[in-house]
């Protein structure tokens, strides 16, 4: 008796899918390792779509201004500056007026977002509003290749953009102004790297906040949901294809090694039910940081958010206790 036609269709579909996952994609990555950049940064995923990033007030942000900076020849990045909820009165709505307001002594949050989307992402905007209501300046950029920024992302490139913006701020406000670097997800790798470099240069941030961070790119890629089809093949094959491609493209975001050279107060925020970056990777990073400061007075804090609250990977802005936690850390460096 002949098998039903639908059975052949199902078998064919499974066969093709399996071939694509286990042969096609690895082959593409092997021969075109630069494709791994798209998989890591996901900068081609733009949500919300069709937005004008030169009009941040349309996202309910006020007062706010949009501007652009050239971080190196041919690379121009888009930036938003959101004023504290009770700012120094602006005499006019110009870039110079916003620059003057930066020097009013209130804390400045340099926000470094994760992969995919733009600085206008919903969860990002909700956090900006919380930080504004705490009377902080918020500076948010889209790295090269994201949003309205030109260029192509790489670890070296986006970290250059972030450190350029930090130093631009320092020139505006002086060495004693409180600048807090805040990195979420992929941005935690950027934040850790630039904070290490800045501390080694003697220009350490006032505070470092890492939200839903990971220990290294290799660790997070290995356990990321997009990698799940490859959990069932020998690990050395996965490493040979994917991890070799990452190494070829200079992607490490090795925060677990870099964090030991960050000397400013550190706070890690992580939800236990994070479904993208496992809670255990945040713990691993915390333990490395904590061990490194056993012989110093540097403060290191790990704030856990319980499961079942709907916070997951990017919605800690929903936590009612978050404003008080941030306020105390920014003010005192402790909890």
């Amino acid at each position: 008796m002949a098998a039903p036609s639908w059975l052949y269709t199902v078998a064919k579909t499974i066969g093709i899918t399996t071939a694509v996952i286990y042969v096609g994609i690895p082959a593409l990555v092997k021969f075109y390792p630069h494709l791994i950049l798209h998989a890591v940064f996901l900068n081609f995923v733009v949500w919300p779509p069709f937005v004008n990033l030169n009009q941040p007030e349309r996202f309910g942000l006020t007062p706010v201004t949009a501007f652009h900076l050239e971080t190196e020849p041919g690379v121009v990045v888009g930036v938003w500056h959101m004023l504290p909820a009770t700012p120094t009165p602006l005499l006019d709505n110009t870039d110079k007026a916003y620059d003057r307001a930066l020097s009013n002594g209130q804390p400045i949050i340099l926000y470094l977002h994760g992969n995919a989307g733009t600085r206008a992402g919903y969860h990002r905007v909700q956090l900006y509003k919380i930080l504004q209501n705490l009377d902080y300046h918020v500076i948010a950029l889209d790295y090269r290749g994201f949003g309205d920024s030109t260029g192509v992302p790489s670890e070296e490139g986006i970290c250059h953009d972030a450190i350029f913006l930090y130093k631009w701020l320092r020139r505006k406000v002086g060495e004693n102004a409180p600048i807090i670097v805040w990195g979420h997800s992929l941005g935690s790798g950027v934040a850790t790297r630039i904070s290490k470099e800045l501390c080694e240069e003697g220009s350490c941030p006032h505070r470092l906040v890492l939200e839903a961070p990971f220990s290294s790119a290799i660790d997070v890629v290995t356990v990321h949901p997009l990698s799940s089809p490859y959990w069932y093949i020998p690990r050395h094959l996965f490493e040979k294809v994917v991890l070799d491609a990452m190494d070829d493209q200079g992607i490490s975001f090795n925060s677990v090694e870099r964090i030991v050279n960050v000397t400013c107060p550190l706070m890690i925020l992580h939800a236990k039910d994070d479904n993208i970056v496992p809670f255990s990777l945040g713990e691993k990073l915390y333990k490395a940081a904590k061990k490194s400061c056993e012989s110093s007075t540097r403060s290191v804090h790990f704030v856990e958010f319980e499961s079942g609250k709907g916070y997951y990977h990017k919605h800690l802005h929903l936590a009612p206790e978050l404003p008080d936690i941030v306020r105390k850390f920014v003010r005192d460096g402790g909890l």
Side-chain angles (χ1 to χ4, degrees), residues 118-133:
T118 71
R119 62 192 185 276
Y122 174 80
H123 62 284
R124 295 161 186 162
V125 170
Q126 300 315 303
L127 179 63
Y128 305 156
K129 291 177 180 178
I130 290 172
L131 298 174
Q132 281 188 284
N133 286 331

Side-chain angles (χ1 to χ4, degrees), residues 62-324:
T62 184
V64 59
T65 188
F67 60 98
H68 294 81
L69 292 174
E70 185 176 50
T71 62
E72 65 182 36
V75 177
V76 177
V77 300
V79 187
W80 286 350
H81 174 194
M82 293 143 274
L83 292 184
T86 54
T88 302
L90 293 172
L91 298 178
D92 50 63
N93 192 34
T94 64
D95 288 344
K96 288 185 177 180
Y98 277 84
D99 285 352
R100 288 194 298 269
L102 266 177
S103 300
N104 63 8
Q106 290 164 288
I108 302 165
I109 307 290
L110 173 55
Y111 180 81
L112 304 173
H113 67 64
N115 67 356
T118 71
R119 62 192 185 276
Y122 174 80
H123 62 284
R124 295 161 186 162
V125 170
Q126 300 315 303
L127 179 63
Y128 305 156
K129 291 177 180 178
I130 290 172
L131 298 174
Q132 281 188 284
N133 286 331
L134 288 172
D135 274 344
Y136 305 152
H137 293 271
V138 183
I139 306 292
L141 86 156
D142 273 317
Y143 319 110
R144 64 185 65 196
F146 286 79
D148 55 348
S149 301
T150 64
V152 177
S154 65
E155 178 174 342
E156 189 74 27
I158 68 174
C159 289
H160 174 84
D161 297 337
I163 208 165
F164 180 95
L165 183 53
Y166 178 92
K167 291 181 176 181
W168 179 87
L169 286 169
R170 272 282 170 240
R171 290 194 296 272
K172 296 282 185 183
V173 300
E175 284 299 320
N176 295 322
I179 300 179
I180 297 92
V181 175
W182 184 307
H184 171 246
S185 192
L186 181 80
S188 73
V190 179
T192 302
R193 175 169 170 167
I194 73 165
S195 295
K196 169 189 177 291
E197 294 178 10
L198 290 166
C199 288
E200 290 174 344
E201 293 174 5
S203 184
C204 212
H206 184 62
R207 308 275 188 264
L208 174 61
V209 179
L210 302 179
E211 179 189 354
F214 51 81
S215 44
S216 70
I218 289 176
D219 284 348
V220 75
V221 166
T222 302
V223 299
H224 195 280
L226 290 177
S227 300
S228 58
Y230 303 98
W231 296 345
Y232 309 102
I233 65 173
R235 181 179 171 85
H236 73 275
L237 294 178
F238 176 80
E239 291 178 348
K240 188 65 178 174
V241 175
V242 177
L243 303 189
D244 281 3
M246 291 173 59
D247 185 62
D248 180 78
Q249 296 299 309
I251 300 173
S252 72
F253 290 110
N254 199 347
S255 296
V256 76
E257 289 189 4
R258 292 169 176 152
I259 199 70
V260 302
N261 297 111
V262 175
T263 55
C264 62
L266 165 68
M267 179 170 68
I268 293 175
L269 309 170
H270 216 139
K272 287 186 174 180
D273 55 359
D274 189 323
N275 56 341
I276 301 296
V277 177
F279 181 79
S280 60
L281 297 189
E283 282 187 311
K284 182 177 180 179
L285 186 62
Y286 166 70
K287 289 175 182 177
K290 192 70 175 174
K291 185 176 181 180
S292 71
C293 68
E294 288 176 350
S295 59
S296 70
T297 58
R298 170 194 175 204
S299 63
V300 176
H301 306 279
F302 188 86
V303 182
E304 305 175 4
F305 294 83
E306 293 299 324
S307 302
K309 305 284 188 178
Y311 304 153
Y312 302 116
H313 181 60
K314 59 183 182 182
H315 295 297
L316 288 183
H317 60 88
L318 296 174
E321 67 270 35
L322 182 65
D324 286 339

